[in-house]
Short mmCIF file of all heavy atoms in Angstrom, two decimals:
data_model
loop_
_atom_site.label_atom_id
_atom_site.label_comp_id
_atom_site.label_asym_id
_atom_site.label_seq_id
_atom_site.Cartn_x
_atom_site.Cartn_y
_atom_site.Cartn_z
N GLY A 325 143.08 60.39 158.36
CA GLY A 325 143.25 60.28 159.80
C GLY A 325 142.77 58.94 160.33
O GLY A 325 143.39 58.34 161.21
N ALA A 326 141.67 58.46 159.76
CA ALA A 326 141.14 57.18 160.22
C ALA A 326 142.11 56.05 159.92
O ALA A 326 142.29 55.15 160.73
CB ALA A 326 139.80 56.92 159.54
N ASP A 327 142.77 56.10 158.78
CA ASP A 327 143.77 55.07 158.47
C ASP A 327 144.91 55.11 159.47
O ASP A 327 145.41 54.09 159.91
CB ASP A 327 144.34 55.30 157.06
CG ASP A 327 143.48 54.64 156.00
OD1 ASP A 327 142.64 53.80 156.37
OD2 ASP A 327 143.64 54.99 154.83
N LYS A 328 145.32 56.32 159.80
CA LYS A 328 146.41 56.48 160.77
C LYS A 328 145.99 55.91 162.11
O LYS A 328 146.75 55.24 162.80
CB LYS A 328 146.75 57.98 160.90
CG LYS A 328 147.77 58.30 161.97
CD LYS A 328 149.15 57.90 161.55
CE LYS A 328 150.06 57.88 162.76
NZ LYS A 328 151.23 58.70 162.64
N MET A 329 144.74 56.14 162.45
CA MET A 329 144.22 55.63 163.72
C MET A 329 144.27 54.10 163.71
O MET A 329 144.67 53.47 164.68
CB MET A 329 142.79 56.12 163.92
CG MET A 329 142.15 55.62 165.19
SD MET A 329 140.51 56.31 165.43
CE MET A 329 139.54 55.13 164.53
N GLN A 330 143.87 53.53 162.57
CA GLN A 330 143.87 52.07 162.47
C GLN A 330 145.27 51.52 162.70
O GLN A 330 145.47 50.55 163.41
CB GLN A 330 143.35 51.68 161.08
CG GLN A 330 143.03 50.22 160.91
CD GLN A 330 144.18 49.43 160.34
OE1 GLN A 330 144.78 49.82 159.33
NE2 GLN A 330 144.50 48.31 160.95
N ARG A 331 146.27 52.20 162.11
CA ARG A 331 147.64 51.73 162.27
C ARG A 331 148.12 51.92 163.70
O ARG A 331 148.76 51.06 164.27
CB ARG A 331 148.57 52.56 161.37
CG ARG A 331 148.70 52.09 159.98
CD ARG A 331 149.93 52.69 159.35
NE ARG A 331 149.86 54.14 159.26
CZ ARG A 331 149.18 54.77 158.33
NH1 ARG A 331 148.51 54.11 157.45
NH2 ARG A 331 149.17 56.10 158.31
N ALA A 332 147.77 53.07 164.27
CA ALA A 332 148.33 53.41 165.58
C ALA A 332 147.81 52.49 166.68
O ALA A 332 148.58 52.04 167.52
CB ALA A 332 148.02 54.86 165.91
N VAL A 333 146.51 52.24 166.70
CA VAL A 333 145.99 51.41 167.79
C VAL A 333 145.65 50.00 167.33
O VAL A 333 145.10 49.22 168.10
CB VAL A 333 144.76 52.07 168.46
CG1 VAL A 333 145.17 53.38 169.08
CG2 VAL A 333 143.66 52.30 167.46
N GLN A 334 145.96 49.68 166.09
CA GLN A 334 145.79 48.33 165.57
C GLN A 334 144.36 47.81 165.74
O GLN A 334 144.14 46.67 166.14
CB GLN A 334 146.78 47.34 166.21
CG GLN A 334 148.24 47.65 165.89
CD GLN A 334 148.68 47.12 164.53
OE1 GLN A 334 149.02 45.96 164.37
NE2 GLN A 334 148.66 47.99 163.53
N VAL A 335 143.39 48.67 165.44
CA VAL A 335 142.02 48.17 165.39
C VAL A 335 141.74 47.68 163.98
O VAL A 335 142.39 48.11 163.04
CB VAL A 335 140.99 49.28 165.73
CG1 VAL A 335 140.95 49.51 167.21
CG2 VAL A 335 141.27 50.55 164.97
N PRO A 336 140.78 46.80 163.82
CA PRO A 336 140.47 46.33 162.47
C PRO A 336 140.00 47.51 161.61
O PRO A 336 139.31 48.40 162.10
CB PRO A 336 139.31 45.35 162.69
CG PRO A 336 139.32 45.00 164.11
CD PRO A 336 139.96 46.13 164.84
N SER A 337 140.39 47.49 160.34
CA SER A 337 139.99 48.59 159.46
C SER A 337 138.47 48.67 159.35
O SER A 337 137.93 49.72 159.03
CB SER A 337 140.61 48.41 158.07
OG SER A 337 140.36 47.12 157.59
N ALA A 338 137.79 47.55 159.62
CA ALA A 338 136.34 47.57 159.55
C ALA A 338 135.74 48.56 160.55
O ALA A 338 134.67 49.12 160.31
CB ALA A 338 135.77 46.16 159.81
N LEU A 339 136.43 48.80 161.66
CA LEU A 339 135.91 49.75 162.63
C LEU A 339 135.88 51.15 162.01
O LEU A 339 134.92 51.90 162.18
CB LEU A 339 136.80 49.77 163.88
CG LEU A 339 136.43 50.84 164.90
CD1 LEU A 339 135.05 50.56 165.48
CD2 LEU A 339 137.44 50.92 166.02
N VAL A 340 136.94 51.45 161.26
CA VAL A 340 137.01 52.75 160.59
C VAL A 340 135.84 52.90 159.61
O VAL A 340 135.18 53.94 159.57
CB VAL A 340 138.36 52.87 159.87
CG1 VAL A 340 138.35 54.04 158.92
CG2 VAL A 340 139.47 53.02 160.88
N ASP A 341 135.57 51.84 158.84
CA ASP A 341 134.46 51.90 157.88
C ASP A 341 133.14 52.12 158.60
O ASP A 341 132.28 52.86 158.14
CB ASP A 341 134.38 50.60 157.08
CG ASP A 341 135.62 50.37 156.23
OD1 ASP A 341 136.26 51.38 155.85
OD2 ASP A 341 135.96 49.21 155.97
N THR A 342 132.98 51.44 159.75
CA THR A 342 131.74 51.59 160.50
C THR A 342 131.57 53.04 160.96
O THR A 342 130.47 53.61 160.82
CB THR A 342 131.75 50.67 161.73
OG1 THR A 342 132.18 49.38 161.34
CG2 THR A 342 130.38 50.58 162.35
N ILE A 343 132.64 53.61 161.49
CA ILE A 343 132.54 54.99 161.97
C ILE A 343 132.24 55.93 160.80
O ILE A 343 131.44 56.86 160.93
CB ILE A 343 133.83 55.40 162.69
CG1 ILE A 343 134.04 54.51 163.91
CG2 ILE A 343 133.77 56.86 163.12
CD1 ILE A 343 135.23 54.88 164.76
N MET A 344 132.85 55.67 159.65
CA MET A 344 132.55 56.50 158.46
C MET A 344 131.07 56.44 158.13
O MET A 344 130.45 57.45 157.82
CB MET A 344 133.33 55.99 157.24
CG MET A 344 134.78 56.31 157.24
SD MET A 344 135.04 58.08 157.30
CE MET A 344 136.35 58.10 158.48
N GLY A 345 130.51 55.23 158.18
CA GLY A 345 129.09 55.09 157.90
C GLY A 345 128.26 55.89 158.88
O GLY A 345 127.31 56.58 158.50
N LEU A 346 128.65 55.84 160.15
CA LEU A 346 127.93 56.59 161.17
C LEU A 346 128.05 58.09 160.90
O LEU A 346 127.07 58.83 161.06
CB LEU A 346 128.50 56.29 162.55
CG LEU A 346 128.04 54.98 163.18
CD1 LEU A 346 128.78 54.73 164.48
CD2 LEU A 346 126.54 55.02 163.44
N VAL A 347 129.24 58.53 160.50
CA VAL A 347 129.42 59.95 160.20
C VAL A 347 128.44 60.39 159.11
O VAL A 347 127.75 61.40 159.24
CB VAL A 347 130.88 60.23 159.77
CG1 VAL A 347 131.00 61.62 159.16
CG2 VAL A 347 131.81 60.11 160.95
N VAL A 348 128.35 59.59 158.04
CA VAL A 348 127.44 59.95 156.96
C VAL A 348 126.01 60.00 157.48
O VAL A 348 125.27 60.95 157.23
CB VAL A 348 127.54 58.94 155.80
CG1 VAL A 348 126.48 59.21 154.76
CG2 VAL A 348 128.91 59.00 155.17
N LEU A 349 125.61 58.98 158.25
CA LEU A 349 124.24 58.93 158.75
C LEU A 349 123.94 60.13 159.64
O LEU A 349 122.90 60.78 159.51
CB LEU A 349 124.01 57.63 159.53
CG LEU A 349 123.88 56.37 158.69
CD1 LEU A 349 123.83 55.14 159.58
CD2 LEU A 349 122.65 56.42 157.81
N PHE A 350 124.86 60.45 160.54
CA PHE A 350 124.62 61.57 161.45
C PHE A 350 124.57 62.89 160.68
O PHE A 350 123.71 63.73 160.92
CB PHE A 350 125.73 61.63 162.51
CG PHE A 350 125.47 60.75 163.71
CD1 PHE A 350 125.48 59.37 163.57
CD2 PHE A 350 125.22 61.30 164.94
CE1 PHE A 350 125.25 58.55 164.67
CE2 PHE A 350 124.98 60.48 166.04
CZ PHE A 350 125.00 59.11 165.90
N VAL A 351 125.51 63.05 159.75
CA VAL A 351 125.54 64.33 159.03
C VAL A 351 124.29 64.49 158.17
O VAL A 351 123.67 65.55 158.16
CB VAL A 351 126.81 64.42 158.14
CG1 VAL A 351 126.71 65.62 157.20
CG2 VAL A 351 128.04 64.56 159.01
N VAL A 352 123.91 63.44 157.49
CA VAL A 352 122.76 63.56 156.61
C VAL A 352 121.49 63.72 157.44
O VAL A 352 120.55 64.40 157.04
CB VAL A 352 122.70 62.35 155.64
CG1 VAL A 352 122.01 61.16 156.28
CG2 VAL A 352 122.03 62.72 154.35
N GLY A 353 121.48 63.11 158.63
CA GLY A 353 120.32 63.26 159.50
C GLY A 353 120.24 64.65 160.11
O GLY A 353 119.16 65.18 160.33
N SER A 354 121.41 65.26 160.33
CA SER A 354 121.41 66.57 160.98
C SER A 354 120.93 67.66 160.04
O SER A 354 120.69 68.79 160.48
CB SER A 354 122.82 66.90 161.46
OG SER A 354 123.65 67.15 160.35
N ALA A 355 120.82 67.34 158.75
CA ALA A 355 120.37 68.37 157.82
C ALA A 355 119.00 68.91 158.19
O ALA A 355 118.63 70.01 157.79
CB ALA A 355 120.33 67.80 156.40
N VAL A 356 118.26 68.14 158.98
CA VAL A 356 116.95 68.62 159.41
C VAL A 356 117.08 69.93 160.17
O VAL A 356 116.24 70.82 160.07
CB VAL A 356 116.23 67.53 160.25
CG1 VAL A 356 116.97 67.28 161.55
CG2 VAL A 356 114.81 67.94 160.54
N LEU A 357 118.18 70.05 160.94
CA LEU A 357 118.37 71.28 161.70
C LEU A 357 118.61 72.46 160.77
O LEU A 357 118.07 73.55 160.97
CB LEU A 357 119.56 71.12 162.65
CG LEU A 357 119.38 70.09 163.76
CD1 LEU A 357 120.70 69.85 164.48
CD2 LEU A 357 118.31 70.55 164.73
N THR A 358 119.43 72.23 159.74
CA THR A 358 119.71 73.30 158.78
C THR A 358 118.44 73.71 158.05
O THR A 358 118.22 74.89 157.79
CB THR A 358 120.75 72.83 157.74
OG1 THR A 358 121.71 72.03 158.38
CG2 THR A 358 121.40 74.01 157.08
#
Side-chain angles (χ1 to χ4, degrees):
Chain A
D327 274 345
K328 174 74 196 235
M329 179 177 87
Q330 191 267 310
R331 274 198 297 281
V333 297
Q334 296 278 278
V335 282
S337 51
L339 174 65
V340 167
D341 297 333
T342 313
I343 298 184
M344 286 300 137
L346 281 174
V347 167
V348 173
L349 286 173
F350 275 68
V351 169
V352 84
S354 70
V356 65
L357 295 170
T358 322

